[in-house]
Amino acid sequence: MHIHHIAIAVKDLDKALEFYRDAMGVEVVGRREVPAEGVEIAFLPMGEAEIELLRPLHPDNSIGRFLEKRGEGIHHVCVLVEDIEAAAARLEENGARLLSDIKQHADGTRYVFIHPKSAYGVLMELYQKPRL
Ligand code: CO
């Protein structure tokens, strides 16, 4: 198990890159709009993990509402697991609340979010990479 990414909600991606890329010196390996999720994302790998800067494409989606309510900052922490079904079952057996059933991205990555109330104020995401 290791941290796969830490997602940070930002209002202005170019401005955020002036800090993370230019001042911190983290390399940006990609930047793209993902209309299905309503965000533009910049990917900044740091070892095994990466920082993902998220900018909402609309003010009324979940990232937009997060910015409105909480301001810029850490939106979620994502942990890579071997078996997402087992991890989700274990969480539920231990009383944690999942935000939805396990879902799947176009590339086959399966994911689910854990309610921040169960994780001491942090929105946690679980990831399982597709088996090759
Ligand atoms: Co994520």
Side-chain angles (χ1 to χ4, degrees), residues 25-77:
V26 190
E27 190 192 355
V28 180
V29 298
R31 175 175 178 172
R32 63 174 176 270
E33 289 195 4
V34 187
E37 292 169 36
V39 288
E40 183 182 12
I41 312 178
F43 300 92
L44 295 86
M46 299 178 92
E48 281 195 333
E50 67 185 13
I51 287 180
E52 291 183 6
L53 301 176
L54 303 178
R55 179 186 71 81
L57 297 174
H58 321 283
D60 57 348
N61 63 27
S62 68
I63 304 292
R65 286 190 298 271
F66 175 90
L67 281 176
E68 183 67 38
K69 252 170 82 178
R70 313 257 308 253
E72 292 174 301
I74 291 182
H75 179 263
H76 66 271
V77 174

Coordinates of all heavy atoms in Angstrom, one line a residue, residues 25-77:
G25 N 10.0 23.4 -7.9 CA 10.9 22.7 -8.8 C 10.4 21.3 -9.1 O 11.2 20.4 -9.5
V26 N 9.1 21.0 -9.0 CA 8.5 19.7 -9.3 C 8.2 19.7 -10.8 O 7.6 20.6 -11.3 CB 7.2 19.4 -8.5 CG1 6.8 18.0 -8.7 CG2 7.5 19.7 -7.0
E27 N 8.6 18.6 -11.5 CA 8.3 18.5 -12.9 C 6.8 18.2 -13.2 O 6.2 17.4 -12.5 CB 9.2 17.4 -13.5 CG 9.2 17.4 -15.0 CD 9.8 16.1 -15.6 OE1 10.4 15.3 -14.8 OE2 9.8 15.9 -16.8
V28 N 6.3 18.9 -14.2 CA 4.9 18.6 -14.7 C 5.0 17.6 -15.8 O 5.6 17.9 -16.8 CB 4.2 19.9 -15.1 CG1 2.8 19.6 -15.6 CG2 4.2 20.9 -14.0
V29 N 4.4 16.4 -15.7 CA 4.4 15.5 -16.8 C 3.2 15.5 -17.6 O 3.2 14.9 -18.7 CB 4.7 14.0 -16.3 CG1 6.0 13.9 -15.5 CG2 3.5 13.5 -15.4
G30 N 2.2 16.1 -17.2 CA 1.0 16.2 -18.0 C 0.0 17.2 -17.5 O 0.0 17.5 -16.3
R31 N -0.9 17.6 -18.4 CA -1.9 18.6 -18.0 C -3.1 18.4 -18.9 O -2.8 18.4 -20.2 CB -1.4 20.0 -18.1 CG -2.4 21.0 -17.8 CD -1.8 22.4 -17.8 NE -2.8 23.4 -17.6 CZ -2.5 24.7 -17.4 NH1 -1.2 25.1 -17.4 NH2 -3.5 25.6 -17.2
R32 N -4.2 18.1 -18.4 CA -5.4 17.9 -19.3 C -6.7 18.2 -18.7 O -6.8 18.1 -17.5 CB -5.3 16.5 -20.0 CG -5.5 15.3 -19.0 CD -5.6 14.0 -19.7 NE -5.7 12.9 -18.8 CZ -4.6 12.2 -18.3 NH1 -3.4 12.6 -18.7 NH2 -4.8 11.2 -17.5
E33 N -7.6 18.5 -19.6 CA -9.0 18.7 -19.1 C -9.7 17.3 -19.2 O -9.5 16.6 -20.1 CB -9.7 19.7 -20.0 CG -9.2 21.1 -19.8 CD -10.1 22.2 -20.4 OE1 -11.2 21.8 -20.9 OE2 -9.7 23.4 -20.3
V34 N -10.4 17.0 -18.1 CA -11.2 15.8 -18.1 C -12.7 16.2 -17.9 O -13.2 16.3 -16.8 CB -10.8 14.9 -16.9 CG1 -11.5 13.5 -17.0 CG2 -9.2 14.7 -16.9
P35 N -13.4 16.5 -19.0 CA -14.7 17.0 -18.9 C -15.7 16.1 -18.2 O -16.6 16.5 -17.5 CB -15.1 17.2 -20.4 CG -13.9 17.2 -21.2 CD -12.9 16.4 -20.4
A36 N -15.4 14.8 -18.3 CA -16.3 13.8 -17.6 C -16.3 14.0 -16.1 O -17.3 13.8 -15.4 CB -15.9 12.4 -17.9
E37 N -15.1 14.5 -15.6 CA -15.0 14.7 -14.1 C -15.1 16.2 -13.8 O -15.0 16.6 -12.6 CB -13.7 14.1 -13.6 CG -13.7 12.6 -13.7 CD -12.4 12.0 -13.4 OE1 -11.6 12.5 -12.6 OE2 -12.1 11.0 -14.1
G38 N -15.2 17.1 -14.9 CA -15.4 18.5 -14.6 C -14.2 19.2 -14.1 O -14.3 20.2 -13.4
V39 N -13.0 18.7 -14.4 CA -11.8 19.3 -13.9 C -10.7 19.4 -15.0 O -10.7 18.6 -16.0 CB -11.2 18.5 -12.7 CG1 -12.0 18.6 -11.5 CG2 -11.0 17.0 -13.1
E40 N -9.8 20.3 -14.8 CA -8.5 20.3 -15.5 C -7.5 19.9 -14.4 O -7.5 20.3 -13.3 CB -8.1 21.7 -16.0 CG -6.8 21.7 -16.8 CD -6.4 23.1 -17.3 OE1 -7.0 24.1 -16.8 OE2 -5.5 23.1 -18.1
I41 N -6.6 18.9 -14.8 CA -5.6 18.3 -13.9 C -4.2 18.5 -14.4 O -3.9 18.3 -15.6 CB -5.8 16.8 -13.7 CG1 -7.3 16.5 -13.5 CG2 -5.0 16.2 -12.6 CD1 -7.6 15.0 -13.4
A42 N -3.3 18.9 -13.5 CA -1.9 18.9 -13.8 C -1.2 17.8 -12.9 O -1.6 17.7 -11.7 CB -1.2 20.2 -13.5
F43 N -0.4 17.0 -13.5 CA 0.2 15.8 -12.8 C 1.7 16.1 -12.5 O 2.5 16.4 -13.4 CB 0.2 14.6 -13.7 CG -1.2 14.2 -14.0 CD1 -1.9 14.6 -15.2 CD2 -2.0 13.4 -13.2 CE1 -3.2 14.3 -15.5 CE2 -3.3 13.0 -13.4 CZ -3.9 13.4 -14.6
L44 N 2.1 16.1 -11.2 CA 3.4 16.4 -10.8 C 4.0 15.2 -10.0 O 3.8 15.2 -8.7 CB 3.5 17.7 -10.0 CG 3.1 19.0 -10.7 CD1 1.6 19.2 -10.7 CD2 3.8 20.2 -10.1
P45 N 4.7 14.3 -10.6 CA 5.2 13.1 -9.9 C 6.3 13.5 -8.8 O 7.1 14.4 -9.1 CB 5.8 12.2 -10.9 CG 5.3 12.8 -12.2 CD 5.0 14.2 -12.0
M46 N 6.2 12.8 -7.7 CA 7.2 12.9 -6.7 C 7.5 11.5 -6.2 O 6.8 11.0 -5.3 CB 6.7 13.8 -5.5 CG 6.4 15.2 -5.9 SD 5.7 16.2 -4.6 CE 7.2 16.9 -4.0
G47 N 8.5 10.9 -6.7 CA 8.8 9.5 -6.3 C 7.7 8.6 -6.8 O 7.2 8.7 -7.9
E48 N 7.2 7.7 -5.9 CA 6.1 6.8 -6.2 C 4.7 7.5 -6.3 O 3.8 7.0 -6.8 CB 6.0 5.7 -5.2 CG 7.0 4.6 -5.4 CD 6.7 3.4 -4.6 OE1 6.0 3.5 -3.5 OE2 7.1 2.3 -5.0
A49 N 4.7 8.7 -5.7 CA 3.4 9.4 -5.6 C 3.4 10.6 -6.5 O 4.4 10.9 -7.1 CB 3.2 9.8 -4.1
E50 N 2.3 11.2 -6.6 CA 2.3 12.5 -7.3 C 1.3 13.5 -6.7 O 0.4 13.1 -6.0 CB 1.9 12.3 -8.8 CG 0.5 11.8 -9.1 CD 0.3 11.4 -10.6 OE1 1.3 11.4 -11.4 OE2 -0.8 11.3 -11.0
I51 N 1.6 14.7 -7.0 CA 0.6 15.8 -6.7 C -0.3 16.0 -7.9 O 0.2 16.0 -9.0 CB 1.3 17.1 -6.3 CG1 1.9 16.8 -4.9 CG2 0.4 18.2 -6.3 CD1 2.7 18.0 -4.3
E52 N -1.6 16.1 -7.7 CA -2.5 16.4 -8.8 C -3.1 17.7 -8.4 O -3.8 17.8 -7.4 CB -3.6 15.3 -8.9 CG -3.0 14.0 -9.5 CD -4.1 13.0 -9.7 OE1 -5.3 13.3 -9.5 OE2 -3.8 11.8 -10.0
L53 N -2.9 18.7 -9.3 CA -3.6 20.0 -9.1 C -4.9 19.9 -9.8 O -4.9 19.6 -11.0 CB -2.7 21.1 -9.6 CG -1.3 21.3 -8.9 CD1 -0.5 22.4 -9.6 CD2 -1.5 21.5 -7.4
L54 N -6.0 20.2 -9.2 CA -7.3 20.1 -9.8 C -7.9 21.5 -9.9 O -8.1 22.2 -8.8 CB -8.3 19.3 -8.9 CG -7.9 17.8 -8.6 CD1 -9.0 17.3 -7.7 CD2 -7.8 17.0 -9.8
R55 N -8.3 21.9 -11.1 CA -9.1 23.1 -11.2 C -10.5 22.8 -11.8 O -10.6 22.1 -12.8 CB -8.4 24.0 -12.2 CG -9.1 25.4 -12.5 CD -8.4 26.2 -13.6 NE -8.6 25.6 -14.9 CZ -9.7 25.7 -15.7 NH1 -10.7 26.4 -15.2 NH2 -9.7 25.2 -16.9
P56 N -11.5 23.2 -11.1 CA -12.9 22.9 -11.6 C -13.1 23.6 -12.9 O -12.8 24.8 -13.1 CB -13.8 23.4 -10.5 CG -13.0 24.5 -9.8 CD -11.6 24.1 -9.9
L57 N -13.8 22.9 -13.8 CA -14.2 23.5 -15.1 C -15.5 24.3 -15.0 O -15.9 25.1 -15.8 CB -14.4 22.4 -16.2 CG -13.1 21.6 -16.6 CD1 -13.4 20.5 -17.5 CD2 -12.1 22.6 -17.1
H58 N -16.3 24.0 -13.9 CA -17.5 24.7 -13.6 C -17.6 24.9 -12.1 O -17.1 24.1 -11.3 CB -18.8 23.8 -14.0 CG -18.6 23.0 -15.2 ND1 -18.7 23.6 -16.5 CD2 -18.3 21.7 -15.4 CE1 -18.5 22.7 -17.4 NE2 -18.3 21.5 -16.8
P59 N -18.1 26.1 -11.7 CA -18.2 26.4 -10.3 C -19.2 25.5 -9.5 O -19.1 25.4 -8.3 CB -18.7 27.8 -10.2 CG -19.3 28.1 -11.6 CD -18.7 27.2 -12.5
D60 N -20.1 24.8 -10.2 CA -21.1 24.1 -9.5 C -20.9 22.6 -9.5 O -21.8 21.8 -9.2 CB -22.5 24.4 -10.2 CG -22.5 24.0 -11.6 OD1 -21.4 23.8 -12.2 OD2 -23.6 24.0 -12.2
N61 N -19.6 22.1 -9.7 CA -19.4 20.7 -9.5 C -18.7 20.5 -8.1 O -18.5 21.4 -7.4 CB -18.6 20.1 -10.7 CG -17.2 20.7 -10.8 OD1 -16.6 21.1 -9.8 ND2 -16.6 20.6 -12.0
S62 N -18.3 19.2 -7.8 CA -17.9 19.0 -6.4 C -16.6 19.7 -6.1 O -16.5 20.2 -5.0 CB -17.7 17.5 -6.2 OG -16.7 17.0 -6.9
I63 N -15.7 19.9 -7.1 CA -14.4 20.6 -6.8 C -14.7 22.1 -6.7 O -14.2 22.8 -5.8 CB -13.4 20.4 -7.9 CG1 -13.1 18.9 -8.1 CG2 -12.1 21.1 -7.6 CD1 -12.4 18.2 -6.9
G64 N -15.6 22.6 -7.5 CA -16.0 24.0 -7.5 C -16.7 24.3 -6.1 O -16.4 25.4 -5.5
R65 N -17.6 23.4 -5.7 CA -18.2 23.7 -4.4 C -17.2 23.6 -3.2 O -17.3 24.3 -2.2 CB -19.4 22.7 -4.2 CG -20.6 23.1 -5.1 CD -21.8 22.3 -4.7 NE -21.6 20.8 -4.8 CZ -21.9 20.2 -6.0 NH1 -22.4 20.8 -7.0 NH2 -21.7 18.9 -6.1
F66 N -16.3 22.7 -3.3 CA -15.2 22.5 -2.3 C -14.5 23.9 -2.2 O -14.2 24.4 -1.1 CB -14.3 21.4 -2.7 CG -13.1 21.3 -1.8 CD1 -13.2 20.4 -0.7 CD2 -11.9 21.9 -2.0 CE1 -12.1 20.3 0.2 CE2 -10.8 21.8 -1.2 CZ -10.9 21.0 -0.1
L67 N -14.1 24.5 -3.3 CA -13.3 25.7 -3.3 C -14.2 26.8 -2.7 O -13.6 27.6 -1.9 CB -13.0 26.1 -4.7 CG -11.8 25.4 -5.4 CD1 -11.6 25.9 -6.8 CD2 -10.5 25.8 -4.6
E68 N -15.4 26.9 -3.0 CA -16.4 27.9 -2.5 C -16.5 27.8 -1.0 O -16.4 28.8 -0.3 CB -17.7 27.6 -3.2 CG -18.8 28.6 -2.8 CD -18.5 30.0 -3.3 OE1 -18.0 30.1 -4.5 OE2 -18.8 31.0 -2.6
K69 N -16.6 26.5 -0.5 CA -16.8 26.3 0.9 C -15.5 26.4 1.7 O -15.5 26.9 2.8 CB -17.4 24.9 1.1 CG -18.9 25.0 1.5 CD -19.5 23.6 1.5 CE -19.3 22.8 2.8 NZ -19.9 21.5 2.7
R70 N -14.4 25.7 1.2 CA -13.2 25.5 2.1 C -12.0 26.3 1.6 O -11.0 26.4 2.2 CB -12.9 24.0 2.1 CG -14.1 23.1 2.4 CD -14.1 22.6 3.8 NE -12.9 21.9 4.2 CZ -12.7 20.6 4.4 NH1 -13.7 19.8 4.1 NH2 -11.6 20.1 4.8
G71 N -12.1 26.8 0.3 CA -11.0 27.5 -0.2 C -10.0 26.5 -0.8 O -10.2 25.3 -0.8
E72 N -8.9 27.0 -1.3 CA -7.9 26.2 -1.9 C -7.2 25.3 -0.9 O -7.0 25.7 0.3 CB -6.8 27.0 -2.7 CG -7.4 27.7 -3.9 CD -6.4 28.7 -4.6 OE1 -6.0 29.6 -3.9 OE2 -6.2 28.5 -5.8
G73 N -6.7 24.1 -1.3 CA -6.1 23.2 -0.3 C -6.2 21.8 -0.7 O -6.7 21.4 -1.8
I74 N -5.8 20.9 0.2 CA -5.8 19.4 -0.1 C -7.3 19.0 -0.2 O -8.1 19.3 0.7 CB -5.1 18.6 1.0 CG1 -3.6 18.9 0.9 CG2 -5.4 17.1 0.8 CD1 -2.8 18.1 1.9
H75 N -7.6 18.4 -1.4 CA -9.0 17.9 -1.6 C -9.1 16.5 -1.2 O -10.1 16.1 -0.6 CB -9.3 18.1 -3.1 CG -10.7 17.7 -3.4 ND1 -11.0 16.4 -3.9 CD2 -11.9 18.3 -3.2 CE1 -12.3 16.3 -4.1 NE2 -12.9 17.4 -3.6
H76 N -8.2 15.6 -1.6 CA -8.2 14.2 -1.2 C -6.8 13.6 -1.3 O -5.9 14.1 -1.9 CB -9.2 13.4 -2.0 CG -8.9 13.2 -3.4 ND1 -9.4 14.1 -4.4 CD2 -8.3 12.3 -4.1 CE1 -9.0 13.7 -5.6 NE2 -8.3 12.6 -5.4
V77 N -6.7 12.5 -0.5 CA -5.4 11.7 -0.6 C -5.8 10.3 -1.1 O -6.8 9.7 -0.7 CB -4.9 11.5 0.9 CG1 -3.7 10.6 0.9 CG2 -4.5 12.9 1.4

